[in-house]
Amino acid sequence: MPKPRVIIADLDINYIIPLQLKFVNDFFERVDMEIITDVNYFNALFETPQKVDILIVSEEMYSIALQKHNISYTFLMVEQLEEGGTGDLNVKRLFKYTSVGEIFNEIVSQSAGVLSSAGEEKKGTQIVVVTSAYGGAGKTSVAMGIGACLTKNYKRVLYVNASKLNVFQYLLDNKAPISSQEVYAKMINPNPRIYNDIKHTIRYEQFSYLPPLKGSLMSLGIHESFFEMFIRSAQESKDFDYIIVDMDSTIDSYSTQLIDLADRVIIVTEQSRNAVFATNIFISNINGVNTDKYIFVCNKFNKDSYNAFVSPDSGTKFSINEFIEMYNTFENVTCSELSEKTGIRKAAFLIA
């Protein structure tokens, strides 16, 4: 089966390189990629009939004549997002100065049909831990919103709430806890294949998830290490692209093990001085927070309110990677609605 043909055409080589690297990292040797920065060469190439699976082209190099060719997906990189302008309904317009991760994931999700075979050998199941320095930051909303967003982008997602007491079900339609005593018995005495033993309990709403437990770990006699064993077992199954782990806001031996196990860690905070203070203390107890493994998101951001991140006396010891706009957590917001939040979508792209 021939490899998908991908052409990236832009006059600015410095713009092309990061996007090229994303394709190399995710589809190395599984796509035929051509980089074109010369408009004359580009025009000469398309003087003869061409078959292209994915064409990513700048406005300067695009012409309506490209419609004559057999191009499965055309992505036009524009400097201003306005309706129309290409005369071709089959062209997907992308804002050129969005983050490379977001652009890449939009291209991959839109052209999943031609890239599916090329992506068969992609990296294995990624574990993403979502945590916070304090309660009420909205880490569960962020975690489940990201899970729904990744699912919409054709990823297989398993959500695991690894809290000592499960209260995440308020965001679900089916709020019923696991009732089977046989399942609880297996959780109390888990083996390395625990995921396979209880996978029949997994439910699906926007994404797959381990249903809530009917009580706290202590009251059920389940040791905290159950979650690590379950997550490892689910990862080995290769049933999922991502396992989103919603972790307690605490630092102990078990939470540290989950952080060590994770490929990416999302730390949720807010823009208040107290939130920054708590997060500073939290990260001072974690090694390697300055690496790419850690992503900091400011949840429930309100541009009209005090922002500690721009205050010179806040003493912030970390940088925010993404801001998630303010939303009312007291209303009956759904996971699907959360996944439409621009900040949550961008946070999902950062880990993809």
Side-chain angles (χ1 to χ4, degrees), residues 4-71:
R5 184 185 184 192
V6 179
I7 295 178
I8 306 178
D10 195 295
L11 299 178
D12 185 356
I13 186 63
N14 293 321
Y15 176 79
I16 287 180
I17 288 174
L19 192 56
Q20 179 188 11
L21 289 175
K22 289 291 290 182
F23 272 98
V24 169
N25 288 335
D26 282 44
F27 297 97
F28 181 65
E29 293 187 343
R30 296 193 296 278
V31 297
D32 284 326
M33 177 169 292
E34 301 169 48
I35 304 299
I36 302 176
T37 57
D38 186 314
V39 66
N40 292 325
Y41 175 81
F42 181 80
N43 292 335
L45 176 67
F46 283 94
E47 284 179 358
T48 58
Q50 299 292 321
K51 182 184 185 309
V52 182
D53 293 289
I54 299 173
L55 173 64
I56 305 162
V57 59
S58 66
E59 285 182 294
E60 298 93 335
M61 301 176 77
Y62 179 86
S63 76
I64 201 167
L66 292 171
Q67 296 181 45
K68 300 176 183 178
H69 299 271
N70 183 6
I71 303 175

Side-chain angles (χ1 to χ4, degrees), residues 75-144:
F75 296 93
L76 180 62
M77 308 307 299
V78 300
E79 299 197 1
Q80 291 184 344
L81 272 178
E82 298 176 355
E83 294 298 323
T86 66
D88 185 355
L89 295 177
N90 295 319
V91 173
K92 174 68 176 179
R93 297 164 65 86
L94 298 176
F95 182 48
K96 187 171 184 176
Y97 300 112
T98 307
S99 69
V100 172
E102 185 170 354
I103 290 171
F104 176 76
N105 280 279
E106 185 70 17
I107 291 169
V108 171
S109 64
Q110 292 287 333
S111 55
V114 299
L115 287 176
S116 58
S117 59
E120 286 176 356
E121 299 177 26
K122 281 186 67 176
K123 57 190 177 184
T125 302
Q126 302 291 290
I127 297 172
V128 180
V129 162
V130 182
T131 188
S132 178
Y134 56 94
K139 65 179 177 60
T140 293
S141 298
V142 171
M144 298 179 81

Side-chain angles (χ1 to χ4, degrees), residues 196-268:
N196 291 316
D197 289 345
I198 65 172
K199 68 181 294 184
H200 62 280
T201 66
I202 300 296
R203 296 178 191 160
Y204 187 90
E205 286 184 30
Q206 302 296 322
F207 45 80
S208 299
Y209 65 95
L210 181 68
L213 308 183
K214 64 181 181 181
S216 68
L217 294 183
M218 183 174 63
S219 66
L220 295 170
I222 299 173
H223 196 268
E224 293 165 307
S225 59
F226 155 75
F227 288 116
E228 181 186 357
M229 190 171 290
F230 176 81
I231 292 163
R232 287 185 183 276
S233 179
Q235 183 183 38
E236 291 172 1
S237 75
K238 300 181 180 179
D239 286 350
F240 305 98
D241 298 307
Y242 293 93
I243 300 176
I244 308 294
V245 183
D246 187 353
M247 194 183 79
D248 268 334
S249 301
T250 185
I251 293 291
D252 57 27
S253 60
Y254 299 107
S255 62
T256 302
Q257 287 173 15
L258 289 178
I259 289 174
D260 289 342
L261 179 64
D263 296 285
R264 306 301 292 271
V265 178
I266 297 176
I267 298 177
V268 182

